[in-house]
Amino acid sequence: MSTYSKKCLISVAVMHTCLLGTARPGVSQSAGSDPFITVCIYNQALVSKLTLNRARELTITLFRQAGIKAVWLDCSRYMSNSQSAACRSGIGPAYLSLRITPGPVSTQAGFSKSTTGFATLTAHEKGIDASVFFRRVDEIAEKHNIPNYRILGIAMAHEIGHLLLGSNSHSRTGIMRPHWDRQDLVPGGRFLGFTAEEATVMHADVSARMKQQAVFEASGLDLPK
């Protein structure tokens, strides 16, 4: 379901990464025994609050089943040039950015009509930035007569999964399948979750990110102005 854009990050500032508030649940703070990530969401498609909340709960559930806690922050209100400090004070490998956009800018961007989103990865197969195309979500929902929040939640989990698993992470079963049909999407259909192997890889990746984040925060480094 994804198209990948591998980019060497010259500066973290060039990415629409997760920008967190001063009271953020930092990696240095306790979040229970499970590894956890923080996802900052940018609702550029202006998805309704109800739809987005339901989709988020589904995504959280899918990661919880894999033993990973996802902490969500809504940074949509801070998209202007004068972004609030509440979404500026933190950044790092344990924080992910998820943008919900209407769709790709144009078909010339390399996305097919069936693409629901993409994850941007570095040369080292690490990612912090993903996008989901809401027009495509609506099309799939209408085609299969399934609530769009369910398709959105599945798509968000899929793209975040690529950030933690890497580009060559499509599988034959579960949420990381490259293509879904109605039996994958309806409640009670085919298995729709992360496999045990995927959960193990994501655990290792998130744990490594948390350690890297602690070093990053302790260093006192900041983004270039």
Side-chain angles (χ1 to χ4, degrees), residues 155-208:
M156 292 194 301
H158 182 97
E159 298 307 335
I160 294 172
H162 279 306
L163 295 179
L164 305 179
L165 294 167
S167 60
N168 297 318
S169 51
H170 281 143
S171 63
R172 295 183 178 182
T173 185
I175 199 163
M176 296 309 295
R177 286 185 59 185
H179 303 287
W180 303 314
D181 58 32
R182 180 174 172 77
Q183 288 305 310
D184 297 305
L185 301 171
V186 295
R190 287 196 196 99
F191 167 72
L192 188 70
F194 293 102
T195 66
E197 292 79 8
E198 289 165 348
T200 298
V201 173
M202 291 193 299
H203 268 247
D205 181 83
V206 174
S207 295

Side-chain angles (χ1 to χ4, degrees), residues 49-130:
K49 184 176 180 179
L50 179 61
T51 297
L52 188 55
N53 285 345
R54 287 179 172 177
R56 180 187 62 192
E57 289 304 314
L58 175 56
T59 304
I60 289 173
T61 296
L62 289 166
F63 278 99
R64 185 189 302 123
Q65 290 170 349
I68 296 173
K69 180 178 180 179
V71 179
W72 290 67
L73 295 177
D74 183 1
C75 289
S76 301
R77 74 187 77 175
Y78 307 120
M79 290 302 292
S80 65
N81 291 332
S82 58
Q83 289 182 341
S84 168
C87 268
R88 288 182 63 100
S89 66
I91 194 168
Y95 300 104
L96 308 180
S97 171
L98 179 64
R99 288 174 290 165
I100 304 175
T101 69
V105 175
S106 71
T107 55
Q108 296 177 347
F111 299 110
S112 70
K113 292 183 178 179
S114 63
T115 301
T116 57
F118 68 97
T120 303
L121 305 178
T122 70
H124 301 290
E125 292 293 294
K126 297 294 182 181
I128 51 177
D129 187 78

